[in-house]
Amino acid sequence: MDKREKRKTRRGVVVSDSMDKTIVVLTERLVKHPRFHKYIRRHVRYKAHDEGNICNIGDKVLITETRPLSKEKRWRLREITEKAK
């Protein structure tokens, strides 16, 4: 297995594209509450590198883990799965 195949990937929605070559991606997951057994939505915002500035707000994207590119950027845009309407 290649090193690039072992890297983590996340699917999410672009919530900000105002920075140059950087997008903010919101990912959600469902977590079961340990006591009440209800599902709770948890979300994380990742800063990802977008080399061509091709993403817009609302796009569904796939990001992958990479080396540190700046203070907070550790993810890179792999593909746009669905464009915003």
Side-chain angles (χ1 to χ4, degrees), residues 2-49:
D2 190 52
K3 284 184 181 180
R4 291 182 193 262
E5 292 174 12
K6 292 181 186 177
R7 292 184 178 166
K8 296 175 190 171
T9 60
R10 301 280 187 264
R11 291 189 186 278
V13 179
V14 177
V15 292
S16 174
D17 64 346
S18 59
M19 295 171 275
D20 187 34
K21 296 186 180 181
T22 303
I23 55 174
V24 179
V25 180
L26 182 85
T27 62
E28 283 190 348
R29 61 191 175 98
L30 290 175
V31 178
K32 196 171 189 178
H33 192 281
R35 183 172 182 182
F36 301 114
H37 307 292
K38 290 178 111 178
Y39 284 96
I40 306 166
R41 288 185 194 274
R42 298 282 186 197
H43 67 271
V44 182
R45 292 164 61 111
Y46 296 105
K47 288 190 175 70
H49 186 67

Side-chain angles (χ1 to χ4, degrees), residues 7 21 26 34 42 49-50 55 68 71 73-74 78:
R7 292 184 178 166
K21 296 186 180 181
L26 182 85
R42 298 282 186 197
H49 186 67
D50 178 16
C55 287
K71 181 182 174 184
K73 264 202 295 193
R74 272 97 173 112
R78 182 186 279 182

Side-chain angles (χ1 to χ4, degrees), residues 64-76:
T64 186
E65 196 177 32
T66 186
R67 65 184 173 83
L69 299 171
S70 69
K71 181 182 174 184
E72 296 179 336
K73 264 202 295 193
R74 272 97 173 112
W75 297 84
R76 185 183 307 267

